[in-house]
Amino acid sequence: MTKNDQHGFTLFEILIAMTIGVTLLGVLFSIYNLSNKSLAQGQAEAELTQTSRSLVERITRDVRETQNLASELPQTKNDPERAPLAELLMEDGHADALRYIRYYLNGTDLKREIRQYFFAEEPEILVPYNAEDEFGNPPQASVVENNLVGQYVNEILFYGQNPVYVELELEKGSAAHRTRTTLYGRNL
């Protein structure tokens, strides 16, 4: 056998091929990781947008039907005397009985509570939230329902009388979503 009859790769050629292969695999892995992170970010943003939309729809239904806003909301967000409220109490316009709906934050959970007010002497008679007995005492509150409406709510602000302005800030991981809407009560 002569020297020219030998076929194969030299050690140097094999090392160059392996270096190129490992580099290509590293680039492909980086692209895969980047697309997974981008997908997760997009899904989180879509979830926050959907959650925000459903929260606004729920609050809108209640504000449209309410007869009375029990919370004294400032007219504007920048009122120097009163800051916007982080909770809203309103008369339930859907019920036959005198009930109140309260939206409030519990950590990052937005809750919807249904309350009734009464005096201890006559618990079967429901009274307005701001009523007083003959001694000037306020009524007691009874929670009828307390439901989770939405998660990831970082902040909620209510201001204005009619219209009522609602600002929501939702956050999940590195994704964030802000919503501001204007609600008009039919019966206010």
Side-chain angles (χ1 to χ4, degrees):
M1 271 186 152
T2 64
K3 197 173 192 181
N4 291 339
D5 289 341
Q6 296 179 0
H7 298 287
F9 297 105
T10 65
L11 179 60
F12 183 70
E13 292 171 329
I14 291 174
L15 287 175
I16 295 290
M18 286 178 64
T19 302
I20 291 171
V22 167
T23 303
L24 287 176
L25 280 175
V27 168
L28 288 175
F29 183 72
S30 295
I31 291 171
Y32 176 76
N33 269 346
L34 185 61
S35 28
N36 273 348
K37 287 179 183 178
S38 178
L39 177 66
Q41 178 76 13
Q43 287 175 336
E45 288 173 3
E47 181 182 1
L48 292 180
T49 301
Q50 175 64 21
T51 299
S52 175
R53 185 190 64 76
S54 69
L55 292 176
V56 166
E57 284 180 4
R58 182 69 182 258
I59 295 169
T60 299
R61 275 195 310 261
D62 289 334
V63 169
R64 280 188 183 151
E65 295 299 319
T66 189
Q67 301 290 326
N68 178 26
L69 288 176
S71 296
E72 292 186 30
L73 301 174
Q75 280 300 106
T76 65
K77 181 179 180 181
N78 301 320
D79 188 334
E81 295 178 19
R82 292 189 320 184
L85 299 181
E87 70 175 57
L88 181 66
L89 181 66
M90 67 188 114
E91 192 174 325
D92 187 353
H94 304 287
D96 294 332
L98 185 58
R99 300 186 333 176
Y100 292 86
I101 298 172
R102 177 180 171 233
Y103 283 97
Y104 68 98
L105 274 182
N106 183 10
T108 60
D109 294 338
L110 183 64
K111 300 275 194 133
R112 180 180 184 267
E113 179 181 86
I114 297 180
R115 297 175 155 199
Q116 296 177 328
Y117 291 90
F118 62 91
F119 292 115
E121 303 82 44
E122 298 176 299
E124 66 282 349
I125 298 176
L126 301 178
V127 298
Y129 74 100
N130 57 356
E132 293 181 347
D133 65 9
E134 63 270 9
F135 305 109
N137 297 318
Q140 296 177 1
S142 167
V143 176
V144 178
E145 289 179 26
N146 194 0
N147 299 314
L148 175 66
V149 179
Q151 297 177 310
Y152 313 116
V153 180
N154 204 28
E155 180 181 47
I156 188 165
L157 297 175
F158 300 99
Y159 55 94
Q161 294 295 322
N162 196 16
V164 175
Y165 300 97
V166 180
E167 291 188 16
L168 281 169
E169 180 182 303
L170 288 84
E171 192 175 304
K172 181 180 181 184
S174 63
H177 180 80
R178 290 190 65 80
T179 299
R180 180 178 182 265
T181 189
T182 305
L183 310 176
Y184 292 90
R186 289 186 203 143
N187 304 317
L188 290 176

